[in-house]
Amino acid sequence: MLMGHPCKSGSWSRVVLGTPDGLEIKYSLMLRFLATNNVAKYEALIVGLKLARECSVRVLIVHSDSEFMVYQILGVFGASNP
């Protein structure tokens, strides 16, 4: 699960890695810049991927509530600003 929200001093995001047997690793991060909701979700995705790699995850399923972000990752939509 990826979430992102802006606040006065920056933005924050949250990452939750879950296992099939119900174990969850929750990670919150503070972005030191004001980010849109989509940018905060991308930052959470990057951190989540790095966290999964550090935990030696071999199979990863990413869930997002952002249809736009999912289509960009799948290559259906192009990014206007890399």
Side-chain angles (χ1 to χ4, degrees), residues 36-82:
T36 65
N37 193 33
N38 282 341
V39 170
K41 287 180 182 184
Y42 277 111
E43 293 292 330
L45 175 63
I46 292 166
V47 168
L49 292 173
K50 288 179 180 180
L51 184 59
R53 182 178 59 198
E54 290 294 318
C55 292
S56 301
V57 171
R58 288 194 241 158
V59 177
L60 182 67
I61 299 171
V62 177
H63 295 274
S64 175
D65 64 353
S66 173
E67 187 176 345
F68 181 74
M69 189 171 92
V70 170
Y71 283 138
Q72 276 190 320
I73 292 167
L74 293 175
V76 176
F77 294 157
S80 60
N81 185 357

mmCIF file of all heavy atoms in Angstrom, residues 36-82:
data_model
loop_
_atom_site.group_PDB
_atom_site.id
_atom_site.type_symbol
_atom_site.label_atom_id
_atom_site.label_comp_id
_atom_site.label_asym_id
_atom_site.label_seq_id
_atom_site.Cartn_x
_atom_site.Cartn_y
_atom_site.Cartn_z
ATOM 1 N N THR A 36 3.347 16.840 -4.734
ATOM 2 C CA THR A 36 1.970 16.497 -5.044
ATOM 3 C C THR A 36 1.697 15.082 -4.535
ATOM 4 O O THR A 36 2.619 14.331 -4.215
ATOM 5 C CB THR A 36 1.703 16.545 -6.560
ATOM 6 O OG1 THR A 36 2.495 15.530 -7.197
ATOM 7 C CG2 THR A 36 2.027 17.909 -7.145
ATOM 8 N N ASN A 37 0.441 14.713 -4.488
ATOM 9 C CA ASN A 37 0.068 13.380 -4.043
ATOM 10 C C ASN A 37 0.727 12.317 -4.923
ATOM 11 O O ASN A 37 1.232 11.319 -4.430
ATOM 12 C CB ASN A 37 -1.455 13.243 -4.055
ATOM 13 C CG ASN A 37 -1.928 12.022 -3.314
ATOM 14 O OD1 ASN A 37 -1.331 11.612 -2.331
ATOM 15 N ND2 ASN A 37 -2.998 11.428 -3.795
ATOM 16 N N ASN A 38 0.736 12.529 -6.250
ATOM 17 C CA ASN A 38 1.355 11.558 -7.158
ATOM 18 C C ASN A 38 2.855 11.436 -6.922
ATOM 19 O O ASN A 38 3.398 10.327 -6.915
ATOM 20 C CB ASN A 38 1.090 11.922 -8.616
ATOM 21 C CG ASN A 38 -0.301 11.545 -9.060
ATOM 22 O OD1 ASN A 38 -0.966 10.727 -8.442
ATOM 23 N ND2 ASN A 38 -0.756 12.155 -10.132
ATOM 24 N N VAL A 39 3.549 12.545 -6.713
ATOM 25 C CA VAL A 39 4.995 12.509 -6.466
ATOM 26 C C VAL A 39 5.274 11.777 -5.157
ATOM 27 O O VAL A 39 6.190 10.947 -5.077
ATOM 28 C CB VAL A 39 5.602 13.927 -6.451
ATOM 29 C CG1 VAL A 39 7.035 13.911 -5.953
ATOM 30 C CG2 VAL A 39 5.531 14.540 -7.847
ATOM 31 N N ALA A 40 4.478 12.034 -4.130
ATOM 32 C CA ALA A 40 4.664 11.343 -2.852
ATOM 33 C C ALA A 40 4.462 9.836 -3.021
ATOM 34 O O ALA A 40 5.181 9.032 -2.424
ATOM 35 C CB ALA A 40 3.703 11.906 -1.811
ATOM 36 N N LYS A 41 3.515 9.436 -3.868
ATOM 37 C CA LYS A 41 3.289 8.008 -4.115
ATOM 38 C C LYS A 41 4.459 7.390 -4.874
ATOM 39 O O LYS A 41 4.855 6.260 -4.599
ATOM 40 C CB LYS A 41 1.988 7.801 -4.877
ATOM 41 C CG LYS A 41 0.775 8.030 -4.016
ATOM 42 C CD LYS A 41 -0.503 7.810 -4.791
ATOM 43 C CE LYS A 41 -1.703 8.091 -3.907
ATOM 44 N NZ LYS A 41 -2.962 7.803 -4.566
ATOM 45 N N TYR A 42 5.027 8.123 -5.834
ATOM 46 C CA TYR A 42 6.203 7.615 -6.548
ATOM 47 C C TYR A 42 7.377 7.455 -5.591
ATOM 48 O O TYR A 42 8.117 6.477 -5.655
ATOM 49 C CB TYR A 42 6.596 8.535 -7.705
ATOM 50 C CG TYR A 42 5.802 8.297 -8.955
ATOM 51 C CD1 TYR A 42 4.884 9.232 -9.414
ATOM 52 C CD2 TYR A 42 5.970 7.136 -9.705
ATOM 53 C CE1 TYR A 42 4.153 9.016 -10.571
ATOM 54 C CE2 TYR A 42 5.245 6.906 -10.856
ATOM 55 C CZ TYR A 42 4.335 7.855 -11.287
ATOM 56 O OH TYR A 42 3.617 7.631 -12.416
ATOM 57 N N GLU A 43 7.575 8.419 -4.695
ATOM 58 C CA GLU A 43 8.654 8.316 -3.712
ATOM 59 C C GLU A 43 8.435 7.098 -2.815
ATOM 60 O O GLU A 43 9.383 6.372 -2.494
ATOM 61 C CB GLU A 43 8.742 9.596 -2.874
ATOM 62 C CG GLU A 43 9.186 10.825 -3.639
ATOM 63 C CD GLU A 43 10.626 10.757 -4.106
ATOM 64 O OE1 GLU A 43 11.464 10.100 -3.435
ATOM 65 O OE2 GLU A 43 10.940 11.366 -5.134
ATOM 66 N N ALA A 44 7.189 6.861 -2.413
ATOM 67 C CA ALA A 44 6.880 5.690 -1.604
ATOM 68 C C ALA A 44 7.163 4.402 -2.371
ATOM 69 O O ALA A 44 7.676 3.436 -1.813
ATOM 70 C CB ALA A 44 5.420 5.729 -1.154
ATOM 71 N N LEU A 45 6.851 4.396 -3.657
ATOM 72 C CA LEU A 45 7.130 3.217 -4.482
ATOM 73 C C LEU A 45 8.625 2.931 -4.523
ATOM 74 O O LEU A 45 9.060 1.789 -4.338
ATOM 75 C CB LEU A 45 6.590 3.413 -5.896
ATOM 76 C CG LEU A 45 6.922 2.305 -6.896
ATOM 77 C CD1 LEU A 45 6.305 0.979 -6.476
ATOM 78 C CD2 LEU A 45 6.460 2.705 -8.295
ATOM 79 N N ILE A 46 9.425 3.959 -4.722
ATOM 80 C CA ILE A 46 10.882 3.787 -4.789
ATOM 81 C C ILE A 46 11.414 3.245 -3.464
ATOM 82 O O ILE A 46 12.200 2.297 -3.433
ATOM 83 C CB ILE A 46 11.567 5.123 -5.171
ATOM 84 C CG1 ILE A 46 11.226 5.489 -6.612
ATOM 85 C CG2 ILE A 46 13.078 5.038 -4.964
ATOM 86 C CD1 ILE A 46 11.557 6.918 -6.980
ATOM 87 N N VAL A 47 10.969 3.836 -2.361
ATOM 88 C CA VAL A 47 11.410 3.373 -1.042
ATOM 89 C C VAL A 47 10.926 1.946 -0.800
ATOM 90 O O VAL A 47 11.669 1.106 -0.278
ATOM 91 C CB VAL A 47 10.919 4.325 0.067
ATOM 92 C CG1 VAL A 47 11.110 3.720 1.443
ATOM 93 C CG2 VAL A 47 11.649 5.654 -0.037
ATOM 94 N N GLY A 48 9.694 1.633 -1.188
ATOM 95 C CA GLY A 48 9.170 0.286 -1.023
ATOM 96 C C GLY A 48 9.965 -0.745 -1.807
ATOM 97 O O GLY A 48 10.237 -1.843 -1.313
ATOM 98 N N LEU A 49 10.364 -0.392 -3.029
ATOM 99 C CA LEU A 49 11.177 -1.305 -3.837
ATOM 100 C C LEU A 49 12.545 -1.530 -3.196
ATOM 101 O O LEU A 49 13.043 -2.657 -3.150
ATOM 102 C CB LEU A 49 11.338 -0.761 -5.260
ATOM 103 C CG LEU A 49 10.070 -0.727 -6.110
ATOM 104 C CD1 LEU A 49 10.332 -0.001 -7.424
ATOM 105 C CD2 LEU A 49 9.541 -2.130 -6.362
ATOM 106 N N LYS A 50 13.143 -0.462 -2.681
ATOM 107 C CA LYS A 50 14.443 -0.596 -2.004
ATOM 108 C C LYS A 50 14.312 -1.429 -0.733
ATOM 109 O O LYS A 50 15.161 -2.280 -0.445
ATOM 110 C CB LYS A 50 15.011 0.788 -1.668
ATOM 111 C CG LYS A 50 15.493 1.552 -2.881
ATOM 112 C CD LYS A 50 16.013 2.920 -2.495
ATOM 113 C CE LYS A 50 16.509 3.692 -3.705
ATOM 114 N NZ LYS A 50 17.009 5.020 -3.336
ATOM 115 N N LEU A 51 13.243 -1.205 0.025
ATOM 116 C CA LEU A 51 13.010 -1.973 1.243
ATOM 117 C C LEU A 51 12.794 -3.448 0.924
ATOM 118 O O LEU A 51 13.352 -4.325 1.595
ATOM 119 C CB LEU A 51 11.802 -1.398 1.986
ATOM 120 C CG LEU A 51 11.445 -1.992 3.337
ATOM 121 C CD1 LEU A 51 12.599 -1.866 4.321
ATOM 122 C CD2 LEU A 51 10.209 -1.299 3.894
ATOM 123 N N ALA A 52 12.048 -3.741 -0.125
ATOM 124 C CA ALA A 52 11.820 -5.132 -0.537
ATOM 125 C C ALA A 52 13.140 -5.792 -0.934
ATOM 126 O O ALA A 52 13.397 -6.947 -0.595
ATOM 127 C CB ALA A 52 10.819 -5.180 -1.682
ATOM 128 N N ARG A 53 13.979 -5.050 -1.637
ATOM 129 C CA ARG A 53 15.288 -5.595 -2.031
ATOM 130 C C ARG A 53 16.141 -5.888 -0.801
ATOM 131 O O ARG A 53 16.784 -6.930 -0.715
ATOM 132 C CB ARG A 53 16.003 -4.623 -2.968
ATOM 133 C CG ARG A 53 17.346 -5.165 -3.453
ATOM 134 C CD ARG A 53 18.040 -4.247 -4.415
ATOM 135 N NE ARG A 53 18.281 -2.961 -3.783
ATOM 136 C CZ ARG A 53 18.554 -1.854 -4.431
ATOM 137 N NH1 ARG A 53 18.602 -1.855 -5.746
ATOM 138 N NH2 ARG A 53 18.775 -0.734 -3.797
ATOM 139 N N GLU A 54 16.133 -4.961 0.169
ATOM 140 C CA GLU A 54 16.906 -5.170 1.400
ATOM 141 C C GLU A 54 16.404 -6.379 2.189
ATOM 142 O O GLU A 54 17.169 -7.019 2.898
ATOM 143 C CB GLU A 54 16.856 -3.923 2.287
ATOM 144 C CG GLU A 54 17.633 -2.751 1.739
ATOM 145 C CD GLU A 54 19.130 -3.016 1.707
ATOM 146 O OE1 GLU A 54 19.664 -3.587 2.678
ATOM 147 O OE2 GLU A 54 19.758 -2.672 0.702
ATOM 148 N N CYS A 55 15.120 -6.690 2.060
ATOM 149 C CA CYS A 55 14.532 -7.839 2.754
ATOM 150 C C CYS A 55 14.624 -9.109 1.908
ATOM 151 O O CYS A 55 14.038 -10.129 2.264
ATOM 152 C CB CYS A 55 13.071 -7.546 3.095
ATOM 153 S SG CYS A 55 12.863 -6.255 4.330
ATOM 154 N N SER A 56 15.347 -9.041 0.794
ATOM 155 C CA SER A 56 15.547 -10.192 -0.110
ATOM 156 C C SER A 56 14.240 -10.767 -0.648
ATOM 157 O O SER A 56 14.096 -11.977 -0.801
ATOM 158 C CB SER A 56 16.362 -11.292 0.578
ATOM 159 O OG SER A 56 17.617 -10.797 0.970
ATOM 160 N N VAL A 57 13.289 -9.885 -0.926
ATOM 161 C CA VAL A 57 12.012 -10.321 -1.496
ATOM 162 C C VAL A 57 12.256 -10.798 -2.920
ATOM 163 O O VAL A 57 12.919 -10.131 -3.706
ATOM 164 C CB VAL A 57 10.989 -9.166 -1.468
ATOM 165 C CG1 VAL A 57 9.734 -9.517 -2.244
ATOM 166 C CG2 VAL A 57 10.659 -8.788 -0.036
ATOM 167 N N ARG A 58 11.715 -11.972 -3.246
ATOM 168 C CA ARG A 58 11.898 -12.524 -4.596
ATOM 169 C C ARG A 58 10.690 -12.288 -5.487
ATOM 170 O O ARG A 58 10.822 -12.175 -6.699
ATOM 171 C CB ARG A 58 12.185 -14.019 -4.517
ATOM 172 C CG ARG A 58 13.574 -14.298 -3.989
ATOM 173 C CD ARG A 58 13.928 -15.721 -4.240
ATOM 174 N NE ARG A 58 14.177 -16.375 -2.959
ATOM 175 C CZ ARG A 58 14.113 -17.660 -2.764
ATOM 176 N NH1 ARG A 58 13.790 -18.454 -3.741
ATOM 177 N NH2 ARG A 58 14.361 -18.164 -1.599
ATOM 178 N N VAL A 59 9.508 -12.244 -4.916
ATOM 179 C CA VAL A 59 8.281 -11.986 -5.673
ATOM 180 C C VAL A 59 7.586 -10.806 -5.012
ATOM 181 O O VAL A 59 7.365 -10.805 -3.804
ATOM 182 C CB VAL A 59 7.346 -13.220 -5.671
ATOM 183 C CG1 VAL A 59 6.055 -12.899 -6.392
ATOM 184 C CG2 VAL A 59 8.035 -14.413 -6.293
ATOM 185 N N LEU A 60 7.261 -9.797 -5.807
ATOM 186 C CA LEU A 60 6.666 -8.582 -5.267
ATOM 187 C C LEU A 60 5.439 -8.216 -6.086
ATOM 188 O O LEU A 60 5.491 -8.178 -7.315
ATOM 189 C CB LEU A 60 7.691 -7.441 -5.307
ATOM 190 C CG LEU A 60 7.262 -6.101 -4.739
ATOM 191 C CD1 LEU A 60 7.054 -6.201 -3.230
ATOM 192 C CD2 LEU A 60 8.304 -5.040 -5.046
ATOM 193 N N ILE A 61 4.345 -7.973 -5.406
ATOM 194 C CA ILE A 61 3.121 -7.483 -6.047
ATOM 195 C C ILE A 61 2.885 -6.084 -5.499
ATOM 196 O O ILE A 61 2.826 -5.883 -4.283
ATOM 197 C CB ILE A 61 1.923 -8.399 -5.744
ATOM 198 C CG1 ILE A 61 2.187 -9.805 -6.270
ATOM 199 C CG2 ILE A 61 0.653 -7.822 -6.343
ATOM 200 C CD1 ILE A 61 1.168 -10.825 -5.831
ATOM 201 N N VAL A 62 2.759 -5.103 -6.380
ATOM 202 C CA VAL A 62 2.561 -3.716 -5.977
ATOM 203 C C VAL A 62 1.091 -3.355 -6.151
ATOM 204 O O VAL A 62 0.516 -3.581 -7.214
ATOM 205 C CB VAL A 62 3.442 -2.762 -6.822
ATOM 206 C CG1 VAL A 62 3.173 -1.316 -6.443
ATOM 207 C CG2 VAL A 62 4.917 -3.103 -6.645
ATOM 208 N N HIS A 63 0.496 -2.810 -5.096
ATOM 209 C CA HIS A 63 -0.880 -2.324 -5.142
ATOM 210 C C HIS A 63 -0.850 -0.812 -5.023
ATOM 211 O O HIS A 63 -0.086 -0.263 -4.233
ATOM 212 C CB HIS A 63 -1.707 -2.897 -3.989
ATOM 213 C CG HIS A 63 -1.893 -4.373 -4.062
ATOM 214 N ND1 HIS A 63 -2.903 -4.958 -4.777
ATOM 215 C CD2 HIS A 63 -1.187 -5.382 -3.516
ATOM 216 C CE1 HIS A 63 -2.824 -6.266 -4.658
ATOM 217 N NE2 HIS A 63 -1.778 -6.557 -3.900
ATOM 218 N N SER A 64 -1.670 -0.144 -5.795
ATOM 219 C CA SER A 64 -1.758 1.306 -5.719
ATOM 220 C C SER A 64 -3.188 1.732 -5.998
ATOM 221 O O SER A 64 -3.892 1.089 -6.778
ATOM 222 C CB SER A 64 -0.819 1.951 -6.742
ATOM 223 O OG SER A 64 -0.995 3.349 -6.743
ATOM 224 N N ASP A 65 -3.604 2.821 -5.369
ATOM 225 C CA ASP A 65 -4.920 3.370 -5.666
ATOM 226 C C ASP A 65 -4.850 4.409 -6.785
ATOM 227 O O ASP A 65 -5.830 5.036 -7.124
ATOM 228 C CB ASP A 65 -5.553 3.971 -4.418
ATOM 229 C CG ASP A 65 -4.780 5.161 -3.873
ATOM 230 O OD1 ASP A 65 -3.679 5.449 -4.378
ATOM 231 O OD2 ASP A 65 -5.265 5.791 -2.926
ATOM 232 N N SER A 66 -3.669 4.571 -7.376
ATOM 233 C CA SER A 66 -3.478 5.531 -8.455
ATOM 234 C C SER A 66 -3.439 4.806 -9.798
ATOM 235 O O SER A 66 -2.420 4.233 -10.183
ATOM 236 C CB SER A 66 -2.179 6.320 -8.250
ATOM 237 O OG SER A 66 -1.923 7.126 -9.378
ATOM 238 N N GLU A 67 -4.566 4.822 -10.510
ATOM 239 C CA GLU A 67 -4.633 4.178 -11.820
ATOM 240 C C GLU A 67 -3.616 4.795 -12.778
ATOM 241 O O GLU A 67 -2.970 4.097 -13.555
ATOM 242 C CB GLU A 67 -6.046 4.322 -12.380
ATOM 243 C CG GLU A 67 -6.295 3.565 -13.649
ATOM 244 C CD GLU A 67 -7.740 3.664 -14.102
ATOM 245 O OE1 GLU A 67 -8.605 4.069 -13.321
ATOM 246 O OE2 GLU A 67 -7.985 3.347 -15.280
ATOM 247 N N PHE A 68 -3.433 6.102 -12.689
ATOM 248 C CA PHE A 68 -2.472 6.795 -13.547
ATOM 249 C C PHE A 68 -1.055 6.275 -13.320
ATOM 250 O O PHE A 68 -0.326 5.980 -14.261
ATOM 251 C CB PHE A 68 -2.542 8.305 -13.289
ATOM 252 C CG PHE A 68 -1.604 9.099 -14.133
ATOM 253 C CD1 PHE A 68 -1.873 9.303 -15.476
ATOM 254 C CD2 PHE A 68 -0.443 9.629 -13.610
ATOM 255 C CE1 PHE A 68 -1.003 10.030 -16.274
ATOM 256 C CE2 PHE A 68 0.425 10.358 -14.387
ATOM 257 C CZ PHE A 68 0.144 10.556 -15.725
ATOM 258 N N MET A 69 -0.664 6.129 -12.044
ATOM 259 C CA MET A 69 0.681 5.653 -11.727
ATOM 260 C C MET A 69 0.882 4.222 -12.221
ATOM 261 O O MET A 69 1.928 3.897 -12.781
ATOM 262 C CB MET A 69 0.922 5.721 -10.218
ATOM 263 C CG MET A 69 2.357 5.448 -9.822
ATOM 264 S SD MET A 69 2.660 5.780 -8.086
ATOM 265 C CE MET A 69 2.359 4.187 -7.383
ATOM 266 N N VAL A 70 -0.115 3.379 -12.036
ATOM 267 C CA VAL A 70 -0.012 1.995 -12.488
ATOM 268 C C VAL A 70 0.170 1.941 -14.000
ATOM 269 O O VAL A 70 1.026 1.218 -14.511
ATOM 270 C CB VAL A 70 -1.257 1.183 -12.056
ATOM 271 C CG1 VAL A 70 -1.281 -0.181 -12.718
ATOM 272 C CG2 VAL A 70 -1.302 1.053 -10.544
ATOM 273 N N TYR A 71 -0.600 2.732 -14.736
ATOM 274 C CA TYR A 71 -0.478 2.729 -16.197
ATOM 275 C C TYR A 71 0.868 3.280 -16.653
ATOM 276 O O TYR A 71 1.407 2.855 -17.666
ATOM 277 C CB TYR A 71 -1.627 3.491 -16.847
ATOM 278 C CG TYR A 71 -2.916 2.711 -16.889
ATOM 279 C CD1 TYR A 71 -4.120 3.313 -16.610
ATOM 280 C CD2 TYR A 71 -2.925 1.353 -17.201
ATOM 281 C CE1 TYR A 71 -5.308 2.598 -16.648
ATOM 282 C CE2 TYR A 71 -4.100 0.631 -17.238
ATOM 283 C CZ TYR A 71 -5.288 1.254 -16.967
ATOM 284 O OH TYR A 71 -6.446 0.540 -17.007
ATOM 285 N N GLN A 72 1.431 4.236 -15.914
ATOM 286 C CA GLN A 72 2.772 4.725 -16.258
ATOM 287 C C GLN A 72 3.807 3.625 -16.050
ATOM 288 O O GLN A 72 4.683 3.423 -16.880
ATOM 289 C CB GLN A 72 3.141 5.942 -15.419
ATOM 290 C CG GLN A 72 2.609 7.229 -15.974
ATOM 291 C CD GLN A 72 3.201 8.415 -15.264
ATOM 292 O OE1 GLN A 72 3.383 8.411 -14.063
ATOM 293 N NE2 GLN A 72 3.495 9.446 -16.020
ATOM 294 N N ILE A 73 3.714 2.905 -14.941
ATOM 295 C CA ILE A 73 4.669 1.835 -14.653
ATOM 296 C C ILE A 73 4.566 0.731 -15.699
ATOM 297 O O ILE A 73 5.571 0.171 -16.133
ATOM 298 C CB ILE A 73 4.446 1.282 -13.228
ATOM 299 C CG1 ILE A 73 4.835 2.344 -12.201
ATOM 300 C CG2 ILE A 73 5.244 0.007 -13.000
ATOM 301 C CD1 ILE A 73 4.394 2.050 -10.803
ATOM 302 N N LEU A 74 3.342 0.419 -16.125
ATOM 303 C CA LEU A 74 3.139 -0.615 -17.140
ATOM 304 C C LEU A 74 3.521 -0.152 -18.547
ATOM 305 O O LEU A 74 3.593 -0.951 -19.457
ATOM 306 C CB LEU A 74 1.673 -1.077 -17.130
ATOM 307 C CG LEU A 74 1.222 -1.806 -15.887
ATOM 308 C CD1 LEU A 74 -0.286 -2.092 -15.948
ATOM 309 C CD2 LEU A 74 1.989 -3.113 -15.702
ATOM 310 N N GLY A 75 3.772 1.156 -18.706
ATOM 311 C CA GLY A 75 4.166 1.678 -20.010
ATOM 312 C C GLY A 75 3.001 2.076 -20.900
ATOM 313 O O GLY A 75 3.196 2.421 -22.067
ATOM 314 N N VAL A 76 1.792 2.042 -20.365
ATOM 315 C CA VAL A 76 0.616 2.447 -21.141
ATOM 316 C C VAL A 76 0.615 3.960 -21.323
ATOM 317 O O VAL A 76 0.338 4.467 -22.406
ATOM 318 C CB VAL A 76 -0.686 1.980 -20.450
ATOM 319 C CG1 VAL A 76 -1.920 2.478 -21.196
ATOM 320 C CG2 VAL A 76 -0.712 0.454 -20.343
ATOM 321 N N PHE A 77 0.925 4.703 -20.257
ATOM 322 C CA PHE A 77 1.035 6.154 -20.305
ATOM 323 C C PHE A 77 2.515 6.533 -20.222
ATOM 324 O O PHE A 77 3.285 5.888 -19.533
ATOM 325 C CB PHE A 77 0.320 6.819 -19.126
ATOM 326 C CG PHE A 77 -1.170 6.663 -19.102
ATOM 327 C CD1 PHE A 77 -1.848 6.777 -17.919
ATOM 328 C CD2 PHE A 77 -1.896 6.392 -20.255
ATOM 329 C CE1 PHE A 77 -3.224 6.640 -17.865
ATOM 330 C CE2 PHE A 77 -3.266 6.250 -20.213
ATOM 331 C CZ PHE A 77 -3.928 6.375 -19.016
ATOM 332 N N GLY A 78 2.886 7.597 -20.902
ATOM 333 C CA GLY A 78 4.250 8.130 -20.791
ATOM 334 C C GLY A 78 4.307 9.192 -19.711
ATOM 335 O O GLY A 78 3.303 9.779 -19.353
ATOM 336 N N ALA A 79 5.479 9.408 -19.184
ATOM 337 C CA ALA A 79 5.692 10.454 -18.183
ATOM 338 C C ALA A 79 5.994 11.765 -18.875
ATOM 339 O O ALA A 79 6.826 11.822 -19.771
ATOM 340 C CB ALA A 79 6.827 10.063 -17.251
ATOM 341 N N SER A 80 5.316 12.835 -18.484
ATOM 342 C CA SER A 80 5.570 14.136 -19.094
ATOM 343 C C SER A 80 6.783 14.817 -18.459
ATOM 344 O O SER A 80 7.395 15.672 -19.060
ATOM 345 C CB SER A 80 4.329 15.037 -18.956
ATOM 346 O OG SER A 80 4.027 15.230 -17.597
ATOM 347 N N ASN A 81 7.122 14.452 -17.229
ATOM 348 C CA ASN A 81 8.263 15.030 -16.540
ATOM 349 C C ASN A 81 9.038 13.916 -15.838
ATOM 350 O O ASN A 81 8.603 13.420 -14.807
ATOM 351 C CB ASN A 81 7.766 16.072 -15.509
ATOM 352 C CG ASN A 81 8.897 16.797 -14.840
ATOM 353 O OD1 ASN A 81 10.067 16.511 -15.090
ATOM 354 N ND2 ASN A 81 8.554 17.728 -13.979
ATOM 355 N N PRO A 82 10.173 13.506 -16.393
ATOM 356 C CA PRO A 82 10.921 12.405 -15.795
ATOM 357 C C PRO A 82 11.402 12.720 -14.399
ATOM 358 O O PRO A 82 11.635 11.902 -13.601
ATOM 359 C CB PRO A 82 12.102 12.203 -16.744
ATOM 360 C CG PRO A 82 12.056 13.285 -17.749
ATOM 361 C CD PRO A 82 10.828 14.056 -17.537
#
